[in-house]
Structures are given as structure tokens and as C-alpha cells.
């Protein structure tokens, strides 16, 4: 997937979104905040994402230096992913996103309860 972000003149928020934007990237990063995970674990933790989409998103995160991929020469092959030190720097952003999402869900549930 080719990005159209201009690194010289683009907005800083756009730069951030070019790295962590998309439906599954922030979710995968959140799961990796807890530590190294095998591909199968990530697949189970994101059941609504296809295997192909998880693979593509992880590859982009790896290319951006956010995720490190570890391949072990075993049979069957074992692949693990973890956040790099640079990837760990996203933790404050994702924690705030989680808190906001929690408050948003609570608000929507309260609104729904009022209407029922």
C-alpha cells in the first residue's frame, strides 16, 4: 500500500495517522503493549480482522519501525511480534484513545437507556 503523505510539507497529525491510522493498526499495537505475541494470538485477539489484513497491517508497522518481527527456525515456523522502543512511545496516545473510547461507550449506553 503506497502512502500519499508528503513528509516535507504534511501536517504532523497526518504523519501520525499515516503510521497508526487504519482500522486494525491501533488495535494490534494495543495488544502488543502487553508484550511479545505470536501471530496466532494476535489473530485470536482480533477476530473481526482477516488473517491477510492483520499480516498487511503488521508489515506496514514493521516497515515504519513500530513493530519488530522475530522468526524462529522451527518446524512449524514460529513468528512473534513486539513493539520496538519507538513503538512503545505510542503508549500514551493509545491509553488516551482507550479512555476516550470508554467514556464514549458509557455516554452512548446512557443515552440509549434514556430512550428505552
Amino acid at each position: 500500500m503506497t502512502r500519499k503523505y508528503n513528509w516535507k510539507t504534511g501536517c504532523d497529525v497526518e504523519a501520525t495517522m499515516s503510521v497508526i491510522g487504519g482500522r486494525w493498526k491501533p488495535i494490534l499495537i494495543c495488544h502488543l503493549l502487553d508484550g511479545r505475541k505470536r501471530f496466532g494470538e494476535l489473530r485470536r485477539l482480533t477476530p473481526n480482522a482477516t488473517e491477510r489484513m492483520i499480516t498487511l497491517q503488521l508489515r506496514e508497522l514493521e516497515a515504519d519501525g513500530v513493530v519488530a518481527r522475530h522468526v524462529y527456525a522451527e518446524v512449524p515456523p514460529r513468528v512473534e511480534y513486539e513493539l520496538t522502543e519507538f513503538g512503545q512511545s505510542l503508549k500514551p496516545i493509545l491509553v488516551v484513545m482507550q479512555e476516550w473510547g470508554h467514556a464514549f461507550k458509557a455516554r452512548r449506553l446512557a443515552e440509549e437507556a434514556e430512550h428505552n
Side-chain angles (χ1 to χ4, degrees):
M1 181 163 144
T2 305
R3 296 193 184 127
K4 298 186 193 259
Y5 175 70
N6 184 332
W7 296 103
K8 294 179 183 173
T9 61
C11 167
D12 294 338
V13 172
E14 190 178 354
T16 303
M17 293 306 295
S18 76
V19 176
I20 67 167
R23 183 166 182 183
W24 303 111
K25 284 182 186 179
I27 295 165
L28 293 168
I29 295 169
C30 277
H31 292 313
L32 292 171
L33 285 173
D34 298 333
R36 193 180 278 206
K37 300 256 187 307
R38 293 180 70 168
F39 182 82
E41 290 177 86
L42 290 170
R43 196 175 66 221
R44 282 189 294 281
L45 290 167
T46 51
N48 294 325
T50 64
E51 191 171 315
R52 182 177 188 283
M53 186 52 66
I54 293 170
T55 299
L56 291 173
Q57 302 280 273
L58 287 169
R59 283 183 187 160
E60 286 182 15
L61 289 168
E62 184 181 8
D64 287 329
V66 174
V67 169
R69 181 176 186 253
H70 304 280
V71 181
Y72 298 91
E74 299 175 354
V75 178
R78 178 170 54 118
V79 179
E80 294 179 341
Y81 296 88
E82 71 177 329
L83 292 178
T84 61
E85 187 176 332
F86 180 61
Q88 287 287 340
S89 69
L90 289 166
K91 184 174 183 171
I93 296 168
L94 294 169
V95 167
V96 170
M97 288 174 69
Q98 284 178 318
E99 291 169 353
W100 189 91
H102 180 76
F104 177 74
K105 285 174 23 180
R107 179 175 161 233
R108 293 299 299 256
L109 288 170
E111 288 173 357
E112 196 173 282
E114 280 181 21
H115 290 85
N116 291 333

